[in-house]
Structures are given as structure tokens and as C-alpha cells.
């Protein structure tokens, strides 16, 4: 059952990245859209994520619940040492979620209130994935010091370092890239399609750049990324697969096959996560002085893991088909409501 | 403000905020489903308008409930990591199932809000029902997690170790039924009265009378029925609390001295130092009766409990008085409504009658917050009754007061924003839904 639970955990994190991440990305794109086109971006985006955005964010809850039920040690250590970035991420989630709902459901569409909602929405769309990335980066950065006694090294330097920040920026660009590719498939007229393709290109370049930044920043902490990624066959294969799918993605887009391009984009990002995840598995948190928290040893008793696994399996019988039907029903159609 | 007080206040603030949205998220879908059903059956467009107007309000509440809930699932660890480290694997079962229920709720909500004119109307109706059912289910589940903190079971606590963990037994702990029942009824009563009050105000102002009268009726039938059931379920809760947590019961009643023919103490100002209650009404024997079903049997007072294991008596007592007072009042209003409905139809349009409901708008939610204060403050100093103290659970990170100030500001702003938006929804009713 432990394997089942771990698979669900990774699955939830991956889906949060692919679906929730694309939601963030949509806001990031809006942030970098010229004022003239903002309204167009917004309405395409609303079509794309309106019905599903609430569900997309449930993956985060599932991941958190799996962590605190199945891996309480890992959850409570993360919450302690990464308290501050988690708090900032939560602020982002609160601001973003409410601003998104408010701007659509405000009965009076006043210019100034809408401006306010928009601003909150786009900036928090940037902030949230930045800190998600920082948290993910910190978890594997070997900077969390479980023995630290002073405030700065226990609660600040655990996450404030070049590597974590670079991972944060990389996350932002990946989210934006994903969203741009999804929106290409969602847009209905030629002008918007062109616009989103251009955005996707820019963000693709930015992601390359930030990816390089991650490699460089890793060196400052004596983390040898190259060894992590090229040192084992699975990660290496995943990286190669990611590169190939990126090429295929641009080929399909230039041929106008927008739906297939989405699949490649999702595949590419999944491969990047797989390659990083696999090198560290089974460690979930890598702390200072080789104090690691591993999924295979720091888990709850087997009775709890069994019950959790059963709950997740039964739950997914209900969730996956209905979620699939939700996506299917609302794919690329205009809204009536 | 020290870190401990700040952490407790932040937890209380976040839960007190979340509970309002979650109650509305549990109950409004039920109201919507009824009005939607009436629309499909009668084809009267007023019912469709009510459903759509409500669903816009609910979308706002739902978003706020979802983000504050996400906040909570991290906050448990951010503020109480030592608690979660041990409790997570034990009381996690309801949370995992709750995750599933939320997920279904979120999916169904997507279908419901965006599904007008798109699906078979009964399928569309059903997705609305599903939102309500899974909302109520998640409410019951999360309350059974809380009741585990009051009535820990499903593990053996030996020398500081948590052994033989059985999550299913922890979920169905001794208090889950009474707490979940009382909470679910409370959600219906609070939301029912709040919604009915707003529509009563609109009828009183003579705006869109047909729309508001129909909406009022749906809401108040549930609110009134729940308010009548509430004292019964509260009595069950009190009996359970007396067995499980004598300190909590004694604090609720400000009952200092163990005695036979124990009196029920109503109102008054508890003086903890002098161990007495000033200016209270005492009804001899009634507490014995409420707890044991006979007037004589002894009830344990605070004198049987070491000072260091006692909760704050004044807060618990006042909160309990507020809850019960409002419980009695809303029950009375509920009875009046049914009398009007069955015998005195003429009351329904009388000004005094409408005013009664307008005044009652916030009462249910006040009682709800007071009730949670009783439960949570009454459990102190324990975070897990008789197993772990709240002070042992707190995060080692200093400076929690700043995060408390920050969140007070955020929740305050969000509350204002929601009230502002709701007001605009109501203001737009005549323009959007005027069917003459
Ligand atoms: C509309 C709200 C409302 C109303 C009118 C009442 N209650 Fe209540 N009460 C709650 C809302 C609530 C609550 C907020 O939902 C609580 C907190 C925890 C729980 O399970 O329910 C609660 C808790 C609670 C507890 C503590 C249970 C525990 O800690 O285990 C007791 C003893 C009562 N109630 C008793 C009553 C009585 C005798 C009432 C008589 C009228 C009453 N309540 C009305
Ligand atoms: C939504 C309704 C709830 C409200 C309004 C509420 C209210 C409160 C209050 C007032 C406190 C502070 C008590 C004090 O320190 O004196 C508190 C503490 C706490 N509550 Fe609740 N509570 C609710 C439900 C829950 C649930 C469902 C859980 C968990 C499953 C929970 C877990 C906690 C924890 C962990 C603390 C902090 C430790 C403590 O003070 O004992 N609460 N809550
Ligand atoms: C008695 C206390 C509580 C009740 C009755 C309750 C009930 C609910 C309900 C009905 C919802 C659905 C959202 C809505 O309709 O607005 C919700 C949302 C949520 N609640 Fe609570 N809750 C309680 C306390 C908690 C606690 C203590 C936690 C965290 C550990 C929590 C976590 C969540 C989460 C994560 C969501 C968002 C789910 C979504 O996105 O749909 N809740 N809650």
C-alpha cells in the first residue's frame, strides 16, 4: 500500500503542476499582455478555466492531506522550517482565488473595482508559483538545518538562497509556458492564436534561461545538477524525452494541430518533474548534513497507510471519471452563462 | 502578545472565518436544488431567477470558503506541528475522505454553475444536489476529526507513544455522532435564518415581492425546522460532554462545587477566584436532570479538577449562555413561523412578523460561533483531551503575532469585500430578474 500512497502523492503533485500551474500561468500571461489585448486574454482564459479552476486546486489539498496523514514527520518539518514561504504562498492562493471569483461574480462591473481585482489576480498569479517553486527547491537544496537554533538559519536561510529562488523563477516560466500552449488550443480566432503562440515562444525562451539559472545557482550550493540529472538512466531518458517532445510540440503547432501540442506540453513538463523526482526518490526533503526525510522510512504506521491507500483508491473511482467528464464537457466551447 | 496566545488566536480566527463560508457552502446548494426543482416542475421563471441569483452568491462564498480551507489545511501544521506529527496519522481518515468529498463538490459545482442550457436539465439539477450532498458530507467528516480531539480513541497512549493506531476507530469516536448532528443542524438553522432575514428585509422594502417571498419561504422552512430540532440535539451534546469532559461541562455551567440536586445556572458573572457566580438564576436539580435524567444524582464540579486542567470558565460560560439563549429564541421564532404557515396566514405579510425575521438574520451565526467557542475553549488546556496539551503542540518559530496581525487584516478585508459584493448582488436583483 505504501507504493500506492506514494504514487498518489506524486500524481497529485504532478496534476497540481499541470492543471493548477496552467491556471497560474494564465494570470502570468495576463500580467505580460499589453493593455489593449488584456480583455481578449481574459475572456479566452475565463472560457478555459472558469468551470474547472476550483477542481484544479483540489490537487494541492489532496497532496497536503496525503502528506499529513501518511508522512506526518515530513509535513510537520516542512511546516516548521518552511513556515514563511508557505505563508506567502497561502497569501497568494487566498488573494488569487478570491480575486478571480470576485471579478466574475461582482454584479456591477465597475471599472475601478474590476481594475483592482485584475491587479490582485495577476500579481498573485506570479507570486504563488514563485513561492511554490521556492518551497520545492528548498526541499531538495540541503539548506534546511534541523539542528539550527537561531532564527535566521532555521527559518530564513532554509529557503532564501539562489538555488531556491532560481527554481521559483523556473516554475513561473514553466507555468506561463503551459498556459500559453493551452490557450493556443482554446482561442477561437486567428489573431488570438498568433498572439498566444508568440507568448509561448517568449516563455519557452524564458524557461530555458531560468533552467540554466537553476544549474548555475545549484553550483553555488555545491549541488551538482548535472550529476543529478545525467547520472542515472531514468532521469536522463526523461530529459531526452522532454527535449524531443518540445521539438515535436513546435512542429505540431506550426502545422496547426493545437490539441496535440497541449499533450506534448504536458508531457514535457511531466518529464522534467519525473527526472528531478526520480533522482531524489525516496527522499522528499534533503536537509543539511545529509539529514534526509525519506518517503520509505518516515511514514505513518502500516495500518494508517493501508487505510489511506484504500480511501484514495475508492475516492479516485469517483473522482477520475467525473473529472474527466468535466474536462470533456467544457473543452474549447463558448460559455452560455 | 506572546506566540502561544497569537497562535491560538490565529487558529480561532481562521476557523471562525471558515465556518461561516462552509456552512453556507453546505446549505445553500440544498436551497438552490429545491428552487431549481420547483422551476423544472412549474416552469415559473421566478424560481429560475432565484436559483441563478443564489448560485452567484454561492460562487463568491464558495471561493472564499475554498481558499480559507486551503489555508487551514496548512495552518494546522504551521501553528501546531507537534500535534500534527502525532495526530495526523490517527485522525487523518476523515480528512482523506473529506478531500474526496471536496473534490466531488468542486467538480459538481463546475457543472452546476456553468451548465445552464448545456446539459439535460435533470442532470444539471443533479449536479446541484451533489454539491449539497458532498458539502454536508465534508462538514460531517471534518467535525468528526474535531470530535476526535474531544474524545480521542483509536490508539493506545503508552509512555508518550501512540501505539496500535486504528484510523477507522478514531473516526467513529465517542463524540462524532453528537457533534456532527448538532453541527449539521446548526448549519441549516444559521444559514436558513440569515437568508430568510435578507429576503424578509427586501419584502419589507417592497422590492420584487414575488421573488423574495418565494426565496424567503424555502430558506425559512429549513431554518425553522432546524431551530426546533436544535435544543434536542444540544441536549444530547451536553450529556456526551458531561461524560467525556466533565471540566468542559462544569465550565459551560460555571458550576464550581460538586453537589447532588445540581442547579442549572443561567446567566451571571462567574468569579473564578471566589468560586461562585454572581447575579445568576439557579434552578435547583435541573442540571442533574439534564445530565443524568434524574433530579438527584451528583454532577462533578470544577472542584474535582486540578486548576491546571481547567479551561477558562468565564469565556466558556458566556459563550454557552449566548448559544443556548439564541437557541431558545430561534426555536420560538421557528414555532411562530409554522403557526403562521398552518393557522394564521395573515401574519405572513404583517410588518411585525417580517421585522422579527429581519432582526433574527445574524442570530444563527452568532450562536454557531459561540458554540464553537464552547467546544474549543472548553477543551483547553488540552489540544487532545487528556493526551496532549495545547502548549506542547505549538510551533517553535517565534514571531507568530505578526502572522496573526496579517491574517486578522486579511480576513477583515475579505469579510468587508464579501459583504460589499453581496450587497451589489441584491441591489441588482430588480434589474436582472424583474419578471412582471
Ligand atoms: C445555530 C447554532 C446553534 C444553536 C442555536 C445551538 N447550538 Fe450548541 N453548538 C453549536 C451551534 C448551536 C455548534 C457551533 O455547532 C457546536 C460547536 C461544536 C458542535 O458540535 O456544535 C455547538 C456545541 C454545543 C455543545 C458542546 C458539545 C461539545 O463540546 O462536545 C453543547 C453542550 C451544546 N452545543 C448545547 C446546545 C444547547 C443545549 C442548545 C439549546 C438551545 C444549543 N446548543 C443551541
Ligand atoms: C469551524 C469551526 C471551529 C471553530 C469556530 C473553532 C474555534 C476554535 C477556537 C476558538 C480555538 C481557540 C481555543 C483556545 O485556544 O482557547 C480553536 C483551537 C483549535 N481548533 Fe478549533 N474550531 C473549529 C473547528 C475545528 C476543527 C474542525 C478542527 C480540527 C479538526 C479544529 C482544530 C483546532 C486546533 C488544532 C486548535 C488549536 C489548539 C487549541 O487551542 O486547542 N477546530 N478552535
Ligand atoms: C467544523 C468545521 C468545518 C466545517 C463544517 C467545514 C466544512 C467545509 C465545507 C462544507 C467546505 C466546502 C467549501 C464551501 O462550500 O465553501 C469546506 C471547504 C474546505 N475546508 Fe472546511 N470545514 C471545517 C473546518 C475545516 C478545517 C479544520 C480544515 C483543514 C484542516 C478545512 C479544510 C477545508 C478545505 C481545504 C476546503 C476547500 C475545499 C474546496 O476547495 O472545495 N475545513 N469546509
Amino acid at each position: 500500500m505504501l507504493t500506492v500512497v506514494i504514487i498518489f502523492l506524486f500524481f497529485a503533485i504532478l496534476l497540481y503542476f499541470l492543471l493548477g500551474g496552467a491556471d497560474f500561468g494564465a494570470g502570468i500571461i495576463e500580467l505580460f499582455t499589453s493593455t489593449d489585448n488584456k480583455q481578449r486574454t481574459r475572456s479566452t482564459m475565463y472560457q478555459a478555466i472558469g468551470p474547472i479552476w476550483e477542481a484544479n486546486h483540489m490537487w494541492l489539498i489532496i497532496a497536503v492531506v496525503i502528506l499529513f496523514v501518511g508522512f506526518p514527520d515530513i509535513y510537520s518539518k516542512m511546516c516548521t522550517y518552511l513556515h514563511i514561504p508557505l505563508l506567502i504562498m497561502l497569501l497568494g492562493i487566498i488573494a488569487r482565488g478570491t480575486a478571480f471569483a470576485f471579478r466574475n461574480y461582482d454584479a456591477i462591473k465597475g471599472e475601478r473595482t474590476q481594475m483592482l481585482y485584475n491587479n490582485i489576480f495577476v500579481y498573485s498569479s506570479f507570486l504563488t508559483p514563485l513561492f511554490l517553486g521556492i518551497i520545492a527547491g528548498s526541499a531538495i537544496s540541503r539548506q534546511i538545518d534541523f539542528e539550527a537554533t537561531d532564527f535566521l538559519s532555521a527559518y530564513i536561510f532554509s529557503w532564501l538562497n539562489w538555488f531556491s529562488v532560481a527554481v521559483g523563477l523556473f516554475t513561473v516560466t514553466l507555468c506561463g509556458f503551459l498556459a500559453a500552449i493551452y490557450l493556443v488550443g482554446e482561442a477561437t480566432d486567428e489573431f488570438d492564436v498568433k498572439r498566444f503562440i508568440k507568448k509561448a515562444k517568449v516563455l519557452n525562451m524564458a524557461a530555458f534561461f531560468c533552467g540554466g539559472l537553476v544549474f548555475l545557482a545549484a553550483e553555488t550550493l555545491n549541488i551538482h545538477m548535472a550529476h543529478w540529472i545525467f547520472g542515472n538512466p531514468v532521469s536522463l531518458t526523461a530529459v531526452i524525452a522532454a527535449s524531443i517532445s518540445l521539438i515535436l510540440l513546435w512542429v505540431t503547432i506550426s502545422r496547426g494541430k493545437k490539441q496535440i501540442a497541449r499533450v506534448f506540453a504536458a508531457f514535457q513538463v511531466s518529464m522534467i518533474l519525473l527526472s528531478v523526482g526520480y533522482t531524489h526518490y525516496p527522499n522528499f526533503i534533503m536537509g543539511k548534513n545529509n539529514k534526509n526525510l525519506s518517503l520509505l522510512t518516515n511514514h505513518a504506521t502500516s495500518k494508517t497507510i493501508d487505510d489511506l491507500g484504500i480511501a484514495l483508491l475508492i475516492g479516485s473511482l469517483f473522482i477520475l471519471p467525473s473529472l474527466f467528464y468535466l474536462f470533456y464537457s467544457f473543452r474549447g466551447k463558448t460559455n452560455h452563462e | 502578545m506572546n506566540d502561544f496566545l497569537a497562535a491560538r488566536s490565529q487558529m480561532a480566527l481562521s476557523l471562525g472565518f471558515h465556518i461561516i463560508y462552509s456552512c453556507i457552502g453546505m446549505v445553500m446548494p440544498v436551497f438552490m436544488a429545491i428552487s431549481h426543482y420547483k422551476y423544472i416542475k412549474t416552469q415559473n421563471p421566478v424560481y429560475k431567477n432565484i436559483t441563478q441569483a443564489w448560485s452567484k452568491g454561492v460562487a463568491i462564498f464558495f471561493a472564499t470558503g475554498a481558499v480559507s480551507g486551503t489555508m487551514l489545511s496548512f495552518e494546522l501544521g504551521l501553528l501546531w506541528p507537534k500535534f500534527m506529527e502525532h495526530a495526523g496519522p490517527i485522525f487523518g481518515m476523515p480528512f482523506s475522505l473529506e478531500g474526496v468529498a471536496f473534490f466531488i463538490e468542486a467538480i459538481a459545482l463546475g457543472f452546476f454553475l456553468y451548465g445552464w442550457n448545456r446539459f439535460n436539465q435533470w442532470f444539471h439539477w443533479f449536479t446541484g444536489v451533489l454539491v449539497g450532498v458532498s458539502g454536508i458530507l465534508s462538514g460531517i467528516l471534518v467535525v468528526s476529526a474535531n470530535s476526535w480531539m474531544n474524545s480521542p480513541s483509536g490508539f493506545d497512549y503508552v509512555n508518550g507513544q501512540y501505539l496500535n493506531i486504528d484510523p477507522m476507530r478514531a473516526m467513529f469516536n465517542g463524540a462524532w455522532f453528537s457533534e456532527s448532528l448538532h453541527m449539521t443542524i446548526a448549519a441549516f438553522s444559521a444559514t436558513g435564518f440569515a437568508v430568510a432575514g435578507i429576503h424578509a428585509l427586501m419584502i419589507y422594502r417592497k422590492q420584487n415581492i414575488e421573488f423574495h417571498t418565494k426565496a424567503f419561504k424555502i430558506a425559512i422552512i429549513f431554518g425553522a425546522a432546524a431551530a426546533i430540532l436544535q435544543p434536542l440535539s444540544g441536549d444530547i451534546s451536553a450529556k456526551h460532554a458531561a461524560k467525556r469532559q466533565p471540566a468542559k461541562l462544569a465550565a459551560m455551567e460555571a458550576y464550581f462545587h460538586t453537589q447532588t440536586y445540581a442547579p442549572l445556572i443561567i446567566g451571571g458573572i462567574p468569579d473564578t477566584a471566589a468560586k461562585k457566580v454572581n447575579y445568576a438564576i439557579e434552578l435547583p436539580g435541573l442540571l442533574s436532570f439534564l445530565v443524568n435524567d434524574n433530579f438527584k444524582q451528583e454532577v462533578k464540579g470544577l472542584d474535582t479538577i486540578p486548576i491546571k486542567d481547567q479551561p477558562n470558565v468565564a469565556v466558556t460560560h458566556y459563550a454557552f449562555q449566548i448559544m443556548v439563549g439564541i437557541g431558545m429564541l430561534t426555536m420560538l421564532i421557528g414555532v411562530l413561523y409554522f403557526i403562521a404557515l398552518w393557522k394564521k396566514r395573515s401574519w405572513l405579510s404583517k410588518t411585525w412578523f417580517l421585522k422579527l425575521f429581519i432582526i433574527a438574520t445574524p442570530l444563527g451565526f452568532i450562536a454557531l460561533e459561540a458554540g464553537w467557542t464552547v467546544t474549543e475553549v472548553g477543551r483547553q488546556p488540552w489540544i487532545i483531551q487528556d493526551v496532549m496539551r495545547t502548549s506542547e503542540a505549538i510551533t517553535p518559530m517565534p514571531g507568530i503575532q505578526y502572522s496573526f496581525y496579517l491574517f486578522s487584516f486579511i480576513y477583515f478585508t475579505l469579510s468587508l469585500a464579501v459583504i460589499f459584493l453581496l450587497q451589489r448582488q441584491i441591489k441588482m436583483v430588480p434589474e436582472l430578474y424583474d419578471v412582471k
Side-chain angles (χ1 to χ4, degrees):
Chain A
M1 257 322 165
L2 186 60
T3 324
V4 173
V5 172
I6 293 175
I7 290 172
F8 268 104
L9 178 62
F10 278 115
F11 194 60
I13 294 175
L14 176 67
L15 283 174
Y16 184 57
F17 205 96
L18 291 181
L19 302 169
D23 283 7
F24 293 128
I28 297 166
I29 291 179
E30 194 180 321
L31 180 62
F32 294 111
T33 300
S34 62
T35 335
D36 301 342
N37 293 329
K38 269 208 164 80
Q39 195 50 47
R40 301 177 70 98
T41 303
R42 228 169 267 150
S43 62
T44 314
M45 184 185 91
Y46 184 65
Q47 269 174 39
I49 68 178
I52 53 177
W53 84 275
E54 190 84 65
N56 288 348
H57 291 269
M58 286 309 300
W59 293 110
L60 178 65
I61 311 284
I62 300 280
V64 171
V65 169
I66 294 178
L67 271 183
F68 79 56
V69 179
F71 308 94
D73 236 11
I74 297 180
Y75 171 79
S76 68
K77 291 267 176 6
M78 270 183 92
C79 283
T80 307
Y81 294 97
L82 301 177
H83 190 123
I84 294 169
L86 277 168
L87 210 61
I88 300 174
M89 179 195 80
L90 285 167
L91 289 179
I93 289 180
I94 293 179
R96 198 187 117 85
T98 46
F100 183 76
F102 290 177
R103 80 171 174 188
N104 289 314
Y105 289 102
D106 192 341
I108 301 168
K109 300 271 183 285
E111 202 168 307
R112 281 180 45 206
T113 41
Q114 288 291 323
M115 271 274 273
L116 179 68
Y117 303 142
N118 289 336
N119 279 330
I120 296 176
F121 178 75
V122 295
Y123 287 105
S124 51
S125 291
F126 182 84
L127 188 77
T128 316
L130 177 67
F131 274 83
L132 263 173
I134 288 180
I135 291 161
S138 312
I140 54 171
S141 66
R142 299 219 168 95
Q143 296 305 302
I144 299 179
D145 184 352
F146 298 123
E147 268 122 44
T149 44
D150 65 304
F151 185 81
L152 284 180
S153 39
Y155 305 111
I156 301 287
F157 299 138
S158 52
W159 57 274
L160 193 60
N161 56 61
W162 289 116
F163 175 69
S164 300
V165 174
V167 175
L169 290 173
F170 184 53
T171 311
V172 170
T173 51
L174 275 188
C175 290
F177 173 65
L178 268 178
I181 299 287
Y182 288 175
L183 288 175
V184 169
E186 206 70 36
T188 36
D189 72 84
E190 215 33 50
F191 176 69
D192 282 332
V193 172
K194 285 225 174 73
R195 231 159 36 82
F196 289 129
I197 290 182
K198 214 169 117 205
K199 283 271 176 301
K201 281 189 181 142
V202 173
L203 282 158
N204 194 350
M205 295 309 290
F208 263 127
F209 177 74
C210 292
L213 222 56
V214 172
F215 268 83
L216 286 181
E219 291 302 322
T220 66
L221 298 182
N222 268 328
I223 299 173
H224 304 298
M225 283 290 283
H227 178 71
W228 274 4
I229 294 198
F230 305 118
N232 73 72
V234 174
S235 301
L236 186 61
T237 319
V239 171
I240 294 173
S243 319
I244 295 175
S245 71
L246 187 64
I247 298 167
L248 291 176
L249 183 145
W250 286 112
V251 173
T252 42
I253 286 205
S254 67
R255 300 229 170 121
K257 300 239 165 38
K258 299 184 292 191
Q259 304 299 332
I260 302 176
R262 285 181 179 191
V263 177
F264 281 125
F267 180 76
Q268 190 223 356
V269 173
S270 314
M271 283 300 122
I272 293 175
L273 286 185
L274 174 72
S275 112
V276 183
Y278 187 84
T279 25
H280 302 118
Y281 184 81
N283 294 327
F284 200 82
I285 293 186
M286 304 179 69
K288 258 211 170 102
N289 307 326
N290 276 330
K291 291 255 168 17
N292 297 337
L293 296 180
S294 144
L295 293 172
L296 292 181
T297 48
N298 295 71
H299 57 78
T301 57
S302 61
K303 183 89 176 70
T304 301
I305 294 286
D306 288 351
D307 287 8
L308 176 62
I310 292 169
L312 290 169
L313 285 172
I314 295 176
S316 56
L317 285 185
F318 289 99
I319 292 171
L320 293 179
S322 43
L323 192 63
F324 181 77
Y325 187 57
L326 182 73
F327 280 110
Y328 176 79
S329 305
F330 290 99
R331 83 214 112 95
K333 287 182 189 167
T334 45
N335 282 294
H336 292 273
E337 181 51 22
Chain B
M1 185 178 251
N2 65 27
D3 286 325
F4 183 46
L5 190 62
R8 287 168 64 185
S9 312
Q10 186 178 326
M11 195 73 207
L13 177 76
S14 318
L15 281 157
F17 183 82
H18 179 68
I19 189 81
I20 297 175
Y21 298 88
S22 49
C23 282
I24 289 167
M26 280 155 78
V27 175
M28 283 310 286
V30 176
F31 293 176
M32 286 180 332
I34 290 188
S35 142
H36 195 180
Y37 178 83
K38 291 206 159 184
Y39 167 64
I40 296 176
K41 281 287 166 197
T42 63
Q43 292 296 317
N44 181 345
V46 174
Y47 283 116
K48 183 176 183 192
N49 290 341
I50 293 175
T51 315
Q52 291 196 335
W54 274 346
S55 76
K56 287 192 184 137
V58 166
I60 294 170
F61 277 93
F62 197 91
T64 320
V67 295
S68 60
T70 309
M71 173 73 202
L72 274 172
S73 47
F74 283 96
E75 218 169 7
L76 283 174
L78 292 176
L79 299 175
W80 317 104
K82 306 258 160 50
F83 164 65
M84 289 309 283
E85 203 177 309
H86 298 294
I90 312 175
F91 83 158
M93 200 60 198
F95 282 114
S96 344
L97 296 174
E98 189 204 16
V100 173
F102 281 151
F103 218 129
I104 292 171
E105 190 181 357
I107 294 172
L109 191 79
F111 276 113
F112 181 75
L113 289 180
Y114 296 83
W116 290 97
N117 308 328
R118 203 175 238 200
F119 300 106
N120 171 304
Q121 59 180 2
W122 286 111
F123 174 77
H124 184 222
W125 178 77
F126 173 73
T127 59
V129 174
L130 208 57
V131 177
V133 172
S134 42
I136 291 172
L137 218 66
S138 44
I140 292 177
L141 286 164
V142 77
V143 171
S144 76
N146 175 270
S147 66
W148 176 83
M149 294 161 61
N150 288 318
S151 166
S153 56
F155 65 100
D156 296 320
Y157 186 62
V158 189
N159 299 330
Q161 302 260 41
Y162 296 72
L163 304 173
N164 302 326
I165 292 171
D166 182 349
M168 288 313 270
R169 266 187 42 226
M171 183 160 110
F172 294 109
N173 59 70
W176 86 272
F177 180 74
S178 60
E179 260 201 66
S180 301
L181 178 71
H182 196 59
M183 174 67 215
T184 311
I185 297 176
F188 274 92
S189 151
T191 313
F193 271 91
V195 173
I198 292 172
H199 291 292
L201 180 66
M202 292 298 141
I203 302 171
Y204 177 72
R205 289 191 184 158
K206 306 240 179 311
Q207 289 176 354
N208 299 64
I209 299 224
E210 194 191 354
F211 178 98
H212 289 296
T213 309
K214 286 192 158 56
F216 173 81
K217 189 169 171 188
I218 295 175
I220 197 59
I221 285 190
F222 279 94
I228 293 170
L229 293 175
Q230 191 70 322
L232 298 175
S233 129
D235 181 47
I236 302 177
S237 291
K239 287 192 168 64
H240 275 271
K243 282 206 202 67
R244 239 174 29 232
Q245 298 168 295
K248 182 189 274 181
L249 185 90
M252 271 155 49
E253 300 289 347
Y255 174 68
F256 288 102
H257 306 285
T258 305
Q259 45 186 302
T260 51
Y261 297 101
L264 185 69
I265 300 169
I266 297 177
I269 300 173
D271 182 343
T272 320
K275 296 196 188 331
K276 62 183 177 67
V277 189
N278 300 318
Y279 319 112
I281 306 169
E282 295 200 8
L283 305 173
L286 205 56
L287 183 62
S288 288
F289 179 74
L290 286 177
V291 171
N292 302 311
D293 289 324
N294 78 58
F295 287 100
K296 174 153 184 274
Q297 199 169 328
E298 181 179 277
V299 176
K300 270 196 204 165
L302 286 165
D303 51 1
T304 58
I305 292 145
I307 295 274
K308 69 175 191 354
D309 291 345
Q310 287 184 10
N312 183 321
V313 178
V315 172
T316 318
H317 181 67
Y318 294 138
F320 188 64
Q321 303 305 305
I322 293 173
M323 169 174 65
V324 175
I326 292 178
M328 293 302 166
L329 195 65
T330 46
M331 179 180 73
L332 204 72
I333 300 178
V335 171
L336 278 180
Y337 177 74
F338 283 115
I339 293 176
L341 192 63
W342 287 322
K343 294 263 182 281
K344 305 264 184 204
R345 284 246 154 208
S346 61
W347 287 1
L348 290 174
S349 47
K350 290 258 167 29
T351 314
W352 66 266
F353 197 72
L354 290 174
K355 274 192 183 150
L356 195 62
F357 288 95
I358 297 169
I359 294 167
T361 307
L363 289 185
F365 277 104
I366 296 173
L368 191 89
E369 301 282 356
W372 276 104
T373 309
V374 173
T375 303
E376 301 288 302
V377 177
R379 189 184 59 241
Q380 303 306 315
W382 303 102
I383 189 166
I384 309 173
Q385 182 76 38
D386 300 324
V387 175
M388 183 190 274
R389 279 171 193 275
T390 311
S391 55
E392 296 165 330
I394 192 179
T395 174
M397 193 179 100
I400 300 296
Q401 67 267 40
Y402 300 107
S403 108
F404 170 61
Y405 300 142
L406 183 66
F407 279 97
S408 306
F409 170 74
I410 288 173
Y411 285 139
F412 181 71
T413 321
L414 273 183
S415 309
L416 287 185
V418 169
I419 294 171
F420 171 74
L421 286 171
L422 214 58
Q423 211 182 350
R424 286 164 63 124
Q425 291 284 349
I426 296 166
K427 206 163 104 192
M428 291 303 278
V429 164
E431 275 166 58
L432 293 171
Y433 306 111
D434 219 357
V435 278
K436 289 268 160 47

